[in-house]
Amino acid sequence: MTQEALLFGLSGVLASSAPILFGVIGETISEKAGVNNLSMNGLILLSAMGGFAASLATGSLFWGFLAGAAIGAAVAAIVAFVSITLRQSQVAVGYILAMLCRDLAYFLGNPIMGRSGPRLNILPIPGLSAIPVVGTLFFRHDIITYLSFLLIVASWFYMERTKPGIMLKGLGENPKAAYVRGANVNRLRYVYTILGGAIAGLAGPIYSLSVKAGWKGTISGLDGIGWIVLSITIFGGWTPFRAALGAYLFSLLQWLGLVLQPLLPNVPSQVLQVAPFPLMILTLLLVNISNAEWLERSLSRLPESARRNVAKVLMALNATPPASLGQPFDKDS
Amino acid sequence: MRDNKTTRLLFGFGSVVLALALTSAIVAATGNNPFIAYKNILQGAAGSANVAANVLVSWVPLLLATSGVLFTFTVGLWNIGIEGQITLGAIFSVWAMRGLQAGAMAPGAIIALSILAGVAGGMLWALFAGALKTFGGVNEIFGGLGLNFVATALNLWLIFGPWKRPGVASMSGTLPFDPKLWMPTLSPQSRLAPIPLAAALCVVALTFILLRGTYFGLKLRAVGKNPKSAYLLGIPTWQHMMLSFAICGAFAGLAGAVQVSAVYHRLIPSISSGYGYAGLTVAMLVNYSPIFAAPVALFFAALNVGSIQLPIVLRLDSSLAGVIQGFLVLFVLIGNGVRIRLLGKKKGSI
């Protein structure tokens, strides 16, 4: 492979990570507030279809993205209402919305299937894009990919360096303490769930207006992305930088699958496309295994120095979810 | 007004009406008459003896999947991996059939062994997800989903690789088995095989008895309600979780084996056809209790089969069936929540 092709491929990896990043950061915000929005797979499909339909109807990309965010916010609002106000299982409402929104996307998207529509253009940054290597990699993208870079930094700054961001952490870790500190826990959970849904809802139009432009129904190749987003949220340990790493690794693996295809003629292409999934299980195992009790017991049998080193590696990989994730808050109990 | 059987029925009825009203509004919004769409679904599901038999054919795997997830739901687990467990059941049963078909064994024995192999395959895949959950701390939803994708990949690899048709491999699957290895049907024209149907109904009855009438079912429920208290009461917690995974996987594997021996007679790329996910939805709609599982599963099977004609007759996507099912479950969830909020015993909640 020439250097040029390699750079071009890696730049494509950054661009195709953008929708996953929006999904993962949106879900991270929602989960940090204590609400597990499991509807992600349906949410992204429906917002991809809706965003494409809206920009077809208006001829404007802006309305397409806005429609995607609005659909994401609406789906998240249902999750919030059923789980926070009505106190039904978050997993149940999320799962059924994942199924329902997917089928809705296929049903409502039937008339616009295969139509050609507007598409986001590349916007090279003058000057910077001329720099060798770095310019091709980072400064020849469409605007949404630049925004995805910004989103990582901005969400990290908000969560770790601002007062409302610390309160957000409190909502998921210790809602009682947040309540005592004057936070209206349930209202804030609504706000962050809907905000997270809106951000994740942008993932749909990023696909249908940029990365995989158009709407092709069941063969759009988007089914399953939402579940990947949820797994990367866990891998990301509810921190933006690690989540971004997960998203980039996933896209890199998918790209490698495509690149390696000609080298492995005996392996059908469908198999390489799903190669990231077993790796996903493996990474989930790695980040979760230090929470398992039996491991602690068997570790205690190792000699002190070895135990310390193993523990260090496991702790670096470990990701612990917000302590009150998925639990309703009642100020009276 | 207090919360009782009547209010529960009323709220349930109201939820169904709202779900149907919203679905109708959506169909109308696409410029179609919802009643014509419903009439088409009805005709597609009960218009002739042939389509009615097809509904029963698709009822069988749905019954098995629903029964299976009732066990995992009872211990508080979301076995989303059931879809892959069905696929593995199908793969194992094809594998057994391929190995035995050249031998001198009687066709009946080959079919029986291939079904047993399918059960083992589904169980194996479920125990895999269970081990990830109990020993690896991996949430069963994500472990299960990952394993579903792996199962799909394995299936495609077999169809396009080692088990490909002589000549060219294709999405239409592997080469069909000899008709003498097909599960016998009611008549040569019919697609309905009575043995799997009877077996599935037995599985539903068994599920009901085990979960509702035995000490084992009680222990499963104790683990589901509160694993810590159950453990303190002397119920081995993780063993019961693994056991419920194994039971669910066995039923799922049986469903996959039935799809091979009685329906497709070969391995196809979409062999699990979403029956696992549909089984989860049915279980949610019947509020995780086995009493109404069979009739609701029949209704879902009728919707799925009835909507197959929609794209041809009305140019509507057949996912309308999924839309109706999704709205039903969503509104029943909302109805439950509203009912408990309005009439529930809890004091102090506004």
Side-chain angles (χ1 to χ4, degrees):
Chain A
M1 195 188 303
T2 62
Q3 196 204 350
E4 209 170 318
L6 181 71
L7 273 181
F8 194 72
L10 289 176
S11 157
V13 167
L14 290 182
S16 56
S17 299
I20 300 176
L21 265 171
F22 274 84
V24 172
I25 301 280
E27 179 69 21
T28 299
I29 292 172
S30 177
E31 290 192 12
K32 273 216 158 273
V35 178
N36 203 341
N37 185 351
L38 210 68
S39 70
M40 210 41 78
N41 196 43
L43 185 154
I44 290 176
L45 276 163
L46 190 59
S47 66
M49 190 284 296
F52 183 64
S55 75
L56 257 187
T58 60
S60 139
L61 288 161
F62 173 77
W63 286 105
F65 281 102
L66 197 70
I71 289 168
V75 174
I78 300 174
V79 173
F81 174 69
V82 176
S83 69
I84 299 172
T85 306
L86 298 182
R87 296 167 159 276
Q88 297 295 301
S89 154
Q90 264 173 22
V91 178
V93 66
Y95 174 77
I96 199 60
L97 281 172
M99 295 290 138
L100 171 61
C101 293
R102 185 192 63 173
D103 284 331
L104 261 181
Y106 292 149
F107 181 72
L108 293 173
N110 196 29
I112 56 163
M113 209 155 80
R115 296 259 301 269
S116 60
R119 185 182 182 155
L120 214 53
N121 287 322
I122 301 282
L123 201 76
I125 295 184
L128 291 174
S129 60
I131 307 172
V133 183
V134 177
T136 321
L137 265 184
F138 295 104
F139 300 111
R140 280 185 204 173
H141 290 292
D142 53 23
I143 185 157
I144 206 83
T145 310
Y146 298 130
L147 282 178
S148 75
F149 301 149
L150 200 65
L151 181 72
I152 305 169
V153 182
S155 60
W156 168 81
F157 184 80
Y158 183 80
M159 285 176 197
E160 304 293 335
R161 292 286 181 275
T162 69
K163 235 180 164 173
I166 304 290
M167 194 56 105
L168 164 62
K169 204 183 271 182
L171 292 175
E173 292 291 351
N174 193 343
K176 272 190 190 123
Y179 175 70
V180 174
R181 295 288 301 258
N184 186 337
V185 172
N186 283 342
R187 185 190 294 168
L188 279 175
R189 280 187 169 175
Y190 259 99
V191 169
Y192 283 120
T193 307
I194 293 173
L195 175 72
I199 293 174
L202 286 170
I206 300 176
Y207 277 118
S208 60
L209 299 174
S210 168
V211 177
K212 287 183 177 176
W215 176 254
K216 296 177 197 74
T218 42
I219 56 160
S220 301
L222 302 183
D223 203 349
I225 288 292
W227 301 112
I228 292 294
V229 163
L230 289 167
S231 314
I232 294 177
T233 307
I234 300 177
F235 173 81
W238 297 270
T239 57
F241 282 116
R242 199 165 143 174
L245 179 74
Y248 288 131
L249 272 179
F250 177 78
S251 302
L252 185 71
L253 281 172
Q254 273 203 321
W255 175 68
L256 280 178
L258 280 176
V259 174
L260 294 178
Q261 179 72 54
L263 304 177
L264 304 161
N266 292 326
V267 184
S269 61
Q270 293 90 343
V271 173
L272 281 179
Q273 272 162 28
V274 293
F277 295 93
L279 286 166
M280 177 194 97
I281 305 180
L282 202 67
T283 53
L284 284 182
L285 189 65
L286 282 174
V287 303
N288 282 303
I289 201 158
S290 51
N291 299 338
E293 207 180 304
W294 65 271
L295 190 82
E296 223 168 289
R297 264 184 277 127
S298 40
L299 270 183
S300 63
R301 275 187 228 118
L302 286 173
E304 177 66 21
S305 60
R307 190 175 64 90
R308 200 172 288 168
N309 284 329
V310 174
K312 222 181 258 171
V313 173
L314 285 175
M315 284 327 282
L317 287 165
N318 175 259
T320 316
S324 300
L325 182 61
Q327 283 160 20
F329 171 73
D330 189 347
K331 62 179 189 285
D332 298 323
S333 64
Chain B
M1 198 162 44
R2 287 275 306 278
D3 191 15
N4 54 33
K5 255 200 175 128
T6 325
T7 58
R8 247 175 251 179
L9 258 173
L10 274 175
F11 269 87
F13 184 69
S15 307
V16 173
V17 170
L18 276 176
L20 287 177
L22 194 54
T23 314
S24 309
I26 284 172
V27 177
T30 62
N32 289 281
N33 185 336
F35 296 103
I36 293 179
Y38 296 151
K39 206 181 108 196
N40 257 284
I41 293 181
L42 198 67
Q43 270 172 354
S48 70
N50 206 9
V51 290
N54 285 347
V55 171
L56 293 180
V57 167
S58 100
W59 192 30
V60 170
L62 194 52
L63 276 177
L64 292 169
T66 308
S67 304
V69 294
L70 283 173
F71 281 91
T72 39
F73 271 131
T74 304
V75 290
L77 293 168
W78 272 80
N79 185 17
I80 253 181
I82 183 168
E83 196 68 27
Q85 290 149 23
I86 297 177
T87 307
L88 257 282
I91 290 176
F92 269 59
S93 106
V94 169
W95 172 66
M97 234 178 229
R98 288 176 68 91
L100 298 169
Q101 64 182 356
M105 207 181 272
I110 296 181
I111 295 175
L113 280 175
S114 86
I115 296 238
L116 276 180
V119 169
M123 208 191 268
L124 185 82
W125 214 238
L127 285 173
F128 206 176
L132 280 170
K133 163 83 180 176
T134 46
F135 303 122
V138 178
N139 183 308
E140 76 276 11
I141 296 180
F142 298 110
L145 279 167
L147 289 172
N148 286 351
F149 287 113
V150 177
T152 309
L154 184 64
N155 191 22
L156 285 170
W157 176 66
L158 288 169
I159 291 171
F160 285 89
W163 292 353
K164 73 174 175 218
R165 275 171 196 249
V168 63
S170 81
M171 287 303 274
S172 61
T174 57
L175 198 68
F177 290 110
D178 190 300
K180 70 177 196 281
L181 292 176
W182 297 8
M183 186 82 79
T185 52
L186 274 181
S187 66
Q189 292 82 31
S190 175
R191 287 184 62 218
L192 180 63
I195 300 170
L197 181 61
L201 289 170
C202 289
V203 162
V204 174
L206 183 73
T207 303
F208 181 82
I209 293 166
L210 275 179
L211 287 179
R212 282 304 164 86
T214 64
Y215 187 53
F216 171 66
L218 187 68
K219 285 197 282 191
L220 287 185
R221 261 186 289 168
V223 173
K225 288 264 189 253
N226 192 334
K228 278 202 182 109
S229 328
Y231 181 75
L232 291 176
L233 279 169
I235 303 171
T237 313
W238 70 260
Q239 288 89 332
H240 277 81
M241 288 189 176
M242 288 299 262
L243 200 53
S244 69
F245 264 118
I247 295 172
C248 183
F251 292 170
L254 179 57
V258 166
Q259 292 304 90
V260 167
S261 59
V263 182
Y264 296 110
H265 312 117
R266 62 184 195 275
L267 201 58
I268 59 165
S270 58
I271 189 83
S272 62
S273 323
Y275 283 118
Y277 296 129
L280 287 164
T281 319
V282 172
M284 287 169 77
L285 195 58
V286 297
N287 201 18
Y288 315 113
S289 105
I291 305 173
F292 297 109
V296 172
L298 182 63
F299 173 62
F300 273 42
L303 274 177
N304 288 341
V305 172
S307 63
I308 292 173
Q309 291 292 324
L310 283 178
I312 304 152
V313 184
L314 295 176
R315 293 179 174 277
L316 284 174
D317 198 273
S318 58
S319 54
L320 181 62
V323 173
I324 299 175
Q325 292 160 359
F327 273 131
L328 276 175
V329 177
L330 182 65
F331 276 97
V332 165
L333 261 179
I334 293 177
N336 273 339
V338 171
R339 178 173 54 78
I340 290 165
R341 245 197 112 105
L342 292 179
L343 312 170
K345 300 158 227 151
K346 256 197 142 178
K347 277 190 291 180
S349 56
I350 306 154

